Amino acid sequence: LEPCNHHGRTPPCSRSLVASKVSRVVVGVGDPNPLVAAEGIATLEKAGIEVAIMDGAERDACYEINADFMARMKAEAAASTA
């Protein structure tokens, strides 16, 4: 998933990656959690970190691995706009 940019049970992954001075991050699939909302990717890019986002079969495989989470996030998003 896309690295988070908010405090939850753990600190923001995106900020840890920036602090670690990595040069490139590969994101398997974007995170549908509205708390993330592509802000993790924006934080990385703003810090000069190259971000590659998978597509095609790789993206589909990452989505499938996280299918339960993806379904829950989409259901919660739909409920909040209803």
Side-chain angles (χ1 to χ4, degrees):
L1 285 175
E2 168 187 353
C4 66
N5 202 47
H6 66 282
H7 286 270
R9 285 183 266 162
T10 60
C13 301
S14 60
R15 296 180 198 162
S16 294
L17 290 165
V18 170
S20 297
K21 300 185 188 306
V22 299
S23 60
R24 183 171 189 252
V25 172
V26 177
V27 175
V29 64
D31 190 334
N33 184 339
L35 292 174
V36 178
E39 290 196 23
I41 291 171
T43 293
L44 298 175
E45 291 176 334
K46 187 175 180 180
I49 297 171
E50 177 188 354
V51 178
I53 303 172
M54 296 288 88
D55 61 3
E58 291 90 357
R59 182 212 164 272
D60 294 346
C62 292
Y63 189 95
E64 191 59 36
I65 289 168
N66 294 286
D68 291 342
F69 172 77
M70 298 295 204
R72 190 176 83 241
M73 286 296 109
K74 287 184 178 184
E76 288 178 15
S80 70
T81 60

